[in-house]
Structures are given as structure tokens and as C-alpha cells.
Amino acid sequence: MSSELQNIPPFWNALALWTADMLYIHFLPRRKGLYRWWFWLIAACWFLVLWGTMRQVAPLDGMAFNLAYVGIALLTFAPFLCLCKTGLTCSVTYCARAFILGGFAASLAWQLYLFQVGHYPAWDALPVEVAFMLAVYGVIFALMYLLERYNRKQIAEMPISLLSCVSTVLIAFIIYVVSSLSFSGLDTPFGGTTYAEAFNIRSIVYLGGVAILYAHHLQLCESYTTLERNTLETMLNTQYSNYLLNQEAVDMVNRKYHDLKHQIAILRSEVDAAQRLDYLDRMEEEIQVYETQNKTGNQYLDTILTSKSIHCQKEHIQLTCVVDGAALGFLDVMDLSALFGNALDNAIEAVVQLPDPEQRLIHLSVSQERGFLRIRLENRCLEEETVTKGLPKTSKRDKRNHGFGLKSICAIAEKYGGSATVHAEKGWFELRVLIPTAQAEEERH
């Protein structure tokens, strides 16, 4: 192979791969407690290690260089492992994508620079080389950043299955093998007789690789978005179905309690024993507490609270409510049932883990203040309870579907122009929902 063109300097190879790594690391959640200066210190050290490794590999040629570069590809997993709080499959997937993106940027930028030098020999100077390479890198990575920014949420939250990870790595490996054959010196359909031809082949193959991996990632994002949307819709329908099922039972209970009030009045007039009177007093007190707790001014919320109150009594949970039910009139029945159903289910699930029944406390408050509907749900929780990416830590085995209850609540709040936030500290978990009632009423009418 003719050597009229020199290969990519180690510095530019290292910088391209480092920048590609940092682009994806930017979108991934960082490790907890990692200060910004510590983050950039690790990133800087990683660049120096990468540059030093590239300098050792640069003198190699042909197949030896390609095999050594595969080792560098494995080495690029290090910054994802040190800086990102992600699973193994997620880190490996984005590491593979960064490797191909970095290879494409380095190959294309250096090829364009050598082309300009061939036409304008005066460009063969270090300041011009630095300015040109940085400019091309800036354009390539800026465009890739803009493309990936639309998938920011999926990159940060989307779980990567083992099959998806293996397929991404396999695609990246095939792309690298095909692009490297042009420099291997072997007689293959993908080889080049000159470095110019080899650069053309490598840049085109890398460009196709970036496009294929991006399309593959878009497909994964679409599948995840569809799964999330279907799950939220299922939860919404389930909560509303539970409301309809509970409504008839609650009506029956209300009739029974109403009848009991009259029976107590009759028994009180016929019984003189002090113990029996005390028993009847306690029965009447329980009925009055029940009536006060579940008469909020909104019949739909009354039904939900009644069913949840019965469940709380079985689990020895103290549920208290201060609710202005009239303030909820603008909410759709399905949205209301899903919002409060999911919120109370999450709270109940948290407090039942507490071994001491005295600590199983849940308090719900709903009010209308200054044109806003304010919903606040507080409950005791385990001391080690934390909030990550807006969701509480889960102890369930099914971590893939974790947090859809809170996601449903957030989606409902956003539907009405509001927001939902969560906070956990010192054994207390708090959910706050804020919805502008004026805007909601205008859209309703």
C-alpha cells in the first residue's frame, strides 16, 4: 500500500475517543457524591491514559495495530464505570457507541485536513492543524449532541437488556472489523491500494456505523416509550376500574353503617348494663370517625379514601385526611382515581415495611390556595429511603417497571399544567402536587 498519506496522530485519535465518551457520559446519571472537580479530574486522567496508550500503539502497523486498537476499545469502558451510575449492560452499550463515533470523527477530520494540505501546502503547520481539527470535531460532536439530546430521558432512564447490549456490541465490532480491513494490507474487497482509498473506505464505513447504531438506539427508545405509555395507561384504567368496583361496596357499607346507627339507638333505650353501654358508645364513636374521615365533598375521592381506609385498618395504618373535595371538581374522574389511587398505594406500600405499627402513619391534605390545587401526601418510611432520578429506591425484584405509579402521577399533573415532586428525608417521604386551577377551569370550559 502506498504511504503518501500519514496516519492519524495519537493525540487526535485520543481526543476524538475521549470526547465521544464524555458526550454519552454527559447524558448518563453520575455516581452519587461525585463532586464536579473530582469528576473532571478523573476525566482528565482518563484522557492522559488514553493518549499515552495511543502513542504506544501508533508505531504498530496492519493487523497488529488493529488488534491493539481492540484492546483500547475495551479500555474505554473505564470512564463509564468510574463516572456513571448505570448498570453493566448500559455502560457497555454506550461505550460501544462512543468507540465508533470517536473513530468516525478522527478518521473524517484527519482525512479532510490532509485533503486541504494537498491543495494548500501552507496549511501544513501546527496552528492550522489544531484549528482545523478542533473545528471539525466541534461540528461533528455538536451535531451528535443535538441528535442525542432528544433521547436524553431515554438515555438516562431506559434499562438496556442483555440482548440489546450484545447486539450493539456485535454491530460495533463488525463495523470496526470492516473499517480496519482497508488498513490491514490483506487482499480483501474492503481493502485499499493507497492510504487515500483506505481513509475513504474507513470514513464511509464508520459513518454508516454511526447511523446504524443511532437507528438501533432509536428503535430501543421507541420500544421503551411505547412500554412506558402502555403501562401508564394500564395503571390509569386499573385505578379507575378499582374505583368502580369499590363504589358499590362502599355504598353497601354506608347503608350498613346507617342502619347500625338506628340499631344502636334502639339498643341504648333497652339496655341498662354499664358494660353494654360502653360497648355501644365505642361503636358509635367508630361510626362517627368513619363518617368524618370520608366525607370530603367529592364523592369520587370519598370512594377511594373509604376503600384505602379499610385496607389501612387491616394493616394497622393510621390514615388521616384534611381534604377540600370541592377543589377537585375540575379533575377528570379517571385522572382523579389514578392520581390518588397510585399515591395512596405507594404510601401504603412504604409504611407496611415498618415493623412498628405506631410508626405507620399517612397524612393527606388537599386545599386550594391562590389559584392552585395543592395536594400533599406524607408517610413514614424506612430511614434509608432515598430518591434517585425523582423516584424512590425500590426493593422489588422487578426494577424495570419501578416507578410507574409516580410517573403516572407526574403525567396527570403535567396534563393540567402542573407538577409533582417527591422528597425523602429522616424517615419521612413526601409527595407534592401543584396544579393551577384557573388554567384548568378555562380549558374545561
Side-chain angles (χ1 to χ4, degrees):
M1 180 185 295
S2 176
S3 59
E4 75 278 7
L5 297 179
Q6 66 183 91
N7 209 341
I8 306 172
F11 177 82
W12 296 121
N13 258 328
L15 182 62
L17 189 53
W18 180 84
T19 306
D21 288 342
M22 299 309 297
L23 186 147
Y24 287 106
I25 290 174
H26 169 74
F27 291 113
L28 293 171
R30 298 181 183 179
R31 286 192 175 276
K32 187 177 181 181
L34 190 63
Y35 296 104
R36 179 172 298 182
W37 66 269
W38 186 244
F39 174 90
W40 287 110
L41 177 61
I42 295 176
C45 291
W46 157 241
F47 174 74
L48 294 177
V49 170
L50 189 59
W51 184 17
T53 306
M54 291 286 189
R55 295 183 63 181
Q56 297 297 319
V57 172
L60 302 177
D61 194 14
M63 190 59 65
F65 175 84
N66 292 327
L67 291 176
Y69 211 72
V70 172
I72 294 176
L74 299 176
L75 186 63
T76 58
F77 178 69
F80 290 89
L81 183 65
C82 296
L83 302 176
C84 301
K85 188 180 180 181
T86 56
L88 180 63
T89 56
C90 183
S91 297
V92 171
T93 296
Y94 292 111
C95 172
R97 294 192 64 198
F99 180 73
I100 297 301
L101 176 60
F104 166 69
S107 178
L108 180 62
W110 189 246
Q111 182 181 0
L112 292 176
Y113 173 68
L114 292 180
F115 177 81
Q116 294 298 324
V117 169
H119 288 74
Y120 308 101
W123 285 39
D124 190 10
L126 183 60
V128 178
E129 176 186 328
V130 171
F132 186 90
M133 293 295 291
L134 290 180
V136 176
Y137 279 5
V139 172
I140 293 174
F141 289 112
L143 290 175
M144 201 63 195
Y145 173 83
L146 293 176
L147 288 174
E148 296 291 3
R149 187 178 62 177
Y150 293 103
N151 304 315
R152 178 191 297 269
K153 178 181 177 182
Q154 286 82 355
I155 292 177
E157 299 180 0
M158 182 175 64
I160 303 294
S161 66
L162 179 60
L163 180 60
S164 298
C165 175
V166 171
S167 62
T168 301
V169 172
L170 183 60
I171 292 171
F173 179 73
I174 293 174
I175 291 167
Y176 175 71
V177 169
V178 174
S179 68
S180 299
L181 288 176
S182 59
F183 281 86
S184 65
L186 301 177
D187 185 15
T188 68
F190 305 99
T193 57
T194 66
Y195 267 106
E197 291 181 5
F199 266 115
N200 287 333
I201 294 172
R202 183 165 67 176
S203 296
I204 293 172
V205 171
Y206 268 136
L207 176 60
V210 171
I212 292 172
L213 288 174
Y214 182 73
H216 180 254
H217 183 69
L218 285 182
Q219 186 178 20
L220 294 179
C221 292
E222 182 63 27
S223 299
Y224 175 74
T225 302
T226 302
L227 171 64
E228 186 178 50
R229 181 173 60 250
N230 292 339
T231 303
L232 292 178
E233 290 178 356
T234 300
M235 295 187 69
L236 180 66
N237 294 328
T238 299
Q239 290 292 346
Y240 183 65
S241 298
N242 290 338
Y243 161 76
L244 295 177
L245 291 173
N246 290 329
Q247 187 174 29
E248 184 177 352
V250 169
D251 291 341
M252 185 182 300
V253 171
N254 284 332
R255 290 194 298 270
K256 183 64 177 177
Y257 271 96
H258 183 73
D259 294 340
L260 283 174
K261 290 178 63 177
H262 294 287
Q263 294 172 6
I264 291 173
I266 296 174
L267 289 173
R268 185 183 295 277
S269 64
E270 295 179 354
V271 179
D272 296 329
Q275 184 176 2
R276 193 59 175 270
L277 285 174
D278 180 64
Y279 175 72
L280 294 175
D281 288 337
R282 284 187 283 112
M283 288 181 60
E284 188 172 19
E285 181 181 353
E286 291 177 1
I287 294 173
Q288 291 174 349
V289 171
Y290 168 84
E291 288 183 337
T292 302
Q293 184 175 358
N294 298 289
K295 300 298 182 182
T296 65
N298 186 292
Q299 59 176 344
Y300 307 111
L301 183 58
D302 291 346
T303 300
I304 296 171
L305 289 178
T306 299
S307 62
K308 302 304 179 185
S309 297
I310 295 172
H311 183 61
C312 286
Q313 290 176 8
K314 294 180 180 179
E315 299 291 345
H316 305 288
I317 299 172
Q318 182 179 347
L319 172 62
T320 58
C321 305
V322 179
V323 177
D324 178 11
L328 302 170
F330 67 92
L331 292 179
D332 181 78
V333 177
M334 292 188 66
D335 294 332
L336 187 147
S337 61
L339 194 157
F340 286 96
N342 284 318
L344 289 169
D345 284 344
N346 289 341
I348 292 172
E349 181 182 336
V351 297
V352 293
Q353 300 180 41
L354 299 172
D356 185 4
E358 296 294 329
Q359 293 186 341
R360 297 179 180 179
L361 306 175
I362 301 176
H363 178 69
L364 172 66
S365 62
V366 179
S367 61
Q368 185 174 359
E369 302 176 17
R370 299 179 181 179
F372 286 90
L373 170 65
R374 299 177 182 271
I375 301 172
R376 183 177 180 181
L377 183 64
E378 300 173 283
N379 62 267
R380 293 298 300 268
C381 62
L382 298 174
E383 289 287 343
E384 60 269 21
E385 184 76 57
T386 57
V387 174
T388 304
K389 294 187 294 186
L391 300 176
K393 182 179 64 177
T394 181
S395 58
K396 296 179 178 179
R397 292 183 179 180
D398 186 14
K399 300 184 186 295
R400 182 182 179 88
N401 295 322
H402 167 57
F404 279 108
L406 278 174
K407 288 182 179 179
S408 175
I409 294 171
C410 293
I412 293 171
E414 292 173 0
K415 174 182 176 181
Y416 291 90
S419 63
T421 58
V422 295
H423 179 70
E425 185 178 7
K426 297 180 180 180
W428 280 97
F429 183 84
E430 181 182 49
L431 166 67
R432 289 189 177 186
V433 180
L434 189 66
I435 299 176
T437 56
Q439 177 182 347
E441 287 291 347
E442 291 177 2
E443 292 179 356
R444 186 183 179 189
H445 295 293

